[in-house]
Amino acid sequence: MSGQHDLGAQFFEKILSIVDVGVHLVDQEGITVFYNDKMAEIDGLDRAQVLGKSILDLYPSLTHETSTLAKVVQTGKEWPEKIQTYVNLTGKRITTINRTYPLMDNGRIIGAVEVAKDITGIVNLHDQILDLRHQLYQSKQRDNKIKGAARYDFSDLIGQSKPFVDALSLAKKTSRTSSPVMISGPTGTGKELFAQSIHNAGVRRNRPFIAQNCAAVPAELMEGIMFGTSRGAFTGAIDRAGLFEQAGGGTLFLDELNSLDLFLQAKLLRVLEDGIVRRIGGMTELQTDVRIITAMNIDPKEALEKGLLRYDLYFRLNVVNVNLPPLQQRKEDIHLLAYHFIEKFNPLFDMKVTGVSPSAQNRLMYYPWPGNVRELSHAIESAFNMMEIEDDIIEEHHLPANLREAGSQNAHMLIPSADTLTDRIKQLEREAIVDALQKNHYNITLAAQALGVKRQALQYKINRYGIAKKDNQ
């Protein structure tokens, strides 16, 4: 039995040596008894330097309170997933995601084992992005020429269906105030486009528009990003403005709010209530003037029921709720959106695509669009990649395979005769253009805004259909 036990231990140690995560095992005194090659690679140390050494000697920046291994040895309690930043003996700054477990023998703590995944590169890249944004913020402060970073306005939002028009109308009304707005809708419905449009139509249009996806950053990093940090607050911390400072006088857009840690939701609520921000580790309180726009890709009621969103924060932020319909509920907009994306991709691909064939249009209408408007944009872009340079009509075989295959047995039921559908589409489009020109006294810019298309695109269609001023008389 002893030989089998030794053999098993050898194989176990071999497995731990080749896995792609760091493994660090200490005894009850905090002395390293096992340290695999991956952990040595993460720390930038040799195994010989580590075995038999105390963890606090190996990582001088850590203490009994901040070291997860030391903490677990002391308490005997498992430490859940945690981001830890430390400096090793060589002065290298390292960030890992750790899980730490106590090792017990007959109810007595005999050590602890930690499994670590290196995220130093990711954190460094993220810090570089934050530093660039901070430098931009400081540069704008020096120049005193702070302009919004929002690129889209309401003229970029395409659609005529009632659910979309209702959402657009409400969004335009909210731009007149600085009240919090909560935008809800499935992924790909254009929540950030609406947020940018609200910002650009309001009095804050010449102030910053700062967007942050709450699901893109771990909670341990998000606190510093949102509220800022002061030098010395933790290892490697520098003086850096948070989102509230960067968005000063402008708009802060928090996407996927339901992914924000509940502790941070409580801190966010306090900032919204009293308008005061204090950087992590800082002593100075800063007064803020920021409009908050939030977005979620699930229904707010569902987020509340699942405990993903605090009720008090929800009531504070849901002053106005703009609900964006999925594309499946605005089928009449698919044709308009498809032509909008054609006009967008024509110059990018140096092509002159003029439309969509009846069978391809039928596929677009029949498909359920789980990715909504974003997926439609990708589908049109994919079609451009499949076309020959001289092609001017998107045919069914140019579309992505998933569109062609979806419901192929029943899709043909939607198609009237090809000539009839083509003629009807052209006639309806021509009539809509003439009507818009009549109502706007042949002002092409105003007519284009009314139709939800770019001025150049409308001019192209006017020439294409041979529309003259006499058509309006």
Side-chain angles (χ1 to χ4, degrees):
M1 289 293 290
S2 176
Q4 290 179 346
H5 176 78
D6 292 342
L7 183 62
Q10 291 175 17
F11 275 109
F12 182 65
E13 184 171 335
K14 179 68 173 176
I15 291 169
L16 291 181
S17 296
I18 62 176
V19 293
D20 193 36
V21 292
V23 180
H24 192 168
L25 191 152
V26 299
D27 63 17
Q28 67 270 33
E29 303 297 329
I31 305 299
T32 301
V33 295
F34 180 81
Y35 186 80
N36 74 346
D37 292 335
K38 185 63 180 180
M39 197 74 234
E41 177 188 328
I42 292 171
D43 286 345
L45 300 172
D46 294 327
R47 294 182 69 193
Q49 291 177 269
V50 177
L51 293 171
K53 301 287 180 61
S54 165
I55 50 177
L56 298 185
D57 291 336
L58 292 168
Y59 311 112
S61 64
L62 297 178
T63 67
H64 283 288
E65 294 302 317
T66 59
S67 166
T68 46
L69 275 168
K71 200 75 175 173
V72 169
V73 167
Q74 291 173 25
T75 64
K77 294 181 180 179
E78 177 183 329
W79 196 279
E81 195 167 271
K82 176 179 175 60
I83 292 179
Q84 186 173 47
T85 299
Y86 55 92
V87 178
N88 67 9
L89 278 173
T90 66
K92 181 183 177 184
R93 183 169 177 261
I94 301 150
T95 303
T96 56
I97 297 180
N98 304 334
R99 278 190 175 275
T100 316
Y101 307 89
L103 299 175
M104 312 292 289
D105 183 25
N106 293 323
R108 184 172 62 90
I109 301 171
I110 60 170
V113 62
E114 186 162 271
V115 180
K117 188 75 173 178
D118 185 19
I119 60 168
T120 304
I122 297 171
V123 171
N124 288 342
L125 180 61
H126 198 268
D127 282 348
Q128 289 175 28
I129 294 170
L130 290 178
D131 287 340
L132 287 171
R133 188 153 71 181
H134 182 63
Q135 291 169 21
L136 181 63
Y137 163 75
Q138 290 181 318
S139 174
K140 288 175 177 177
Q141 277 194 322
R142 286 193 298 269
D143 296 341
N144 199 27
K145 294 179 181 178
I146 300 179
K147 295 183 179 179
R151 296 186 296 118
Y152 297 99
D153 54 45
F154 287 121
S155 66
D156 294 303
L157 304 178
I158 310 298
Q160 296 178 352
S161 62
K162 187 178 186 307
F164 178 82
V165 170
D166 288 347
L168 187 62
S169 175
L170 179 57
K172 287 180 177 179
K173 291 176 182 176
T174 67
S175 65
R176 301 196 300 258
T177 73
S178 288
S179 298
V181 178
M182 182 174 285
I183 305 173
S184 55
T187 298
T189 48
K191 293 185 287 294
E192 182 164 355
L193 270 65
F194 266 77
Q196 290 191 20
S197 299
I198 292 170
H199 171 82
N200 277 334
V203 296
R204 298 173 183 261
R205 67 177 69 87
N206 292 321
R207 304 298 293 176
F209 176 90
I210 302 294
Q212 177 65 53
N213 187 311
C214 298
V217 183
E220 291 81 359
L221 299 179
M222 188 65 184
E223 184 176 7
I225 291 170
M226 184 172 288
F227 305 113
T229 58
S230 291
R231 188 179 301 276
F234 52 84
T235 302
I238 63 172
D239 288 319
R240 179 187 288 141
L243 297 176
F244 279 90
E245 290 180 66
Q246 295 175 39
T251 301
L252 175 57
F253 174 58
L254 298 175
D255 197 5
E256 297 198 52
L257 179 69
N258 49 290
S259 297
L260 188 65
D261 181 82
L262 292 175
F263 166 74
L264 292 184
Q265 289 187 28
K267 290 197 69 172
L268 173 60
L269 179 63
R270 285 199 296 273
V271 172
L272 296 177
E273 292 291 350
D274 57 28
I276 294 174
V277 171
R278 178 187 290 177
R279 294 184 184 181
I280 297 176
M283 302 301 293
T284 305
E285 292 184 337
L286 304 170
Q287 192 71 38
T288 64
D289 172 26
V290 174
R291 181 181 197 175
I292 301 290
I293 301 179
T294 55
M296 292 191 290
N297 55 17
I298 63 173
D299 187 277
K301 292 181 180 178
E302 182 183 348
L304 291 168
E305 290 170 359
K306 291 183 176 180
L308 301 175
L309 185 65
R310 292 174 59 105
Y311 275 89
D312 46 8
L313 182 63
Y314 167 75
F315 292 125
R316 183 68 181 80
L317 293 175
N318 192 41
V319 176
V320 181
N321 180 262
V322 178
N323 184 36
L324 304 188
L327 189 54
Q328 196 171 26
Q329 292 179 12
R330 41 184 296 218
K331 290 278 190 178
E332 56 266 52
D333 291 338
I334 290 175
H335 175 71
L336 287 172
L337 288 164
Y339 275 82
H340 166 74
F341 292 128
I342 287 172
E343 291 162 2
K344 171 186 173 182
F345 292 123
N346 264 333
L348 296 177
F349 285 82
D350 194 22
M351 295 175 68
K352 294 181 179 179
V353 178
T354 59
V356 181
S357 73
S359 59
Q361 178 71 21
N362 179 69
R363 291 295 179 191
L364 298 181
M365 293 294 291
Y366 188 82
Y367 185 66
W369 299 110
N372 296 290
V373 179
R374 184 184 296 128
E375 187 181 7
L376 175 57
S377 174
H378 293 165
I380 299 299
E381 183 177 4
S382 175
F384 268 76
N385 279 278
M386 296 298 105
M387 298 171 73
E388 300 296 336
I389 194 68
E390 66 274 8
D391 290 343
D392 62 354
I393 295 292
I394 295 177
E395 300 288 352
E396 185 176 351
H397 65 270
H398 294 140
L399 297 174
N402 59 316
L403 265 74
R404 300 197 308 270
E405 294 166 2
S408 57
Q409 294 182 348
N410 301 321
H412 67 278
M413 297 170 61
L414 298 175
I415 305 178
S417 68
D419 291 340
T420 302
L421 181 58
T422 302
D423 291 342
R424 285 176 60 194
I425 290 172
K426 288 181 178 179
Q427 182 63 29
L428 286 171
E429 187 171 50
R430 190 181 192 283
E431 289 174 359
I433 291 171
V434 171
D435 182 59
L437 288 168
Q438 284 178 334
K439 290 179 178 177
N440 291 281
H441 309 290
Y442 211 73
N443 184 310
I444 296 178
T445 299
L446 294 177
Q449 290 177 356
L451 291 167
V453 300
K454 300 292 185 184
R455 187 185 189 283
Q456 301 92 317
L458 178 58
Q459 185 65 66
Y460 169 77
K461 292 179 182 296
I462 289 172
N463 295 335
R464 177 187 175 196
Y465 290 122
I467 298 173
K469 198 166 185 178
K470 61 182 177 61
D471 290 294
N472 307 304
Q473 299 171 346

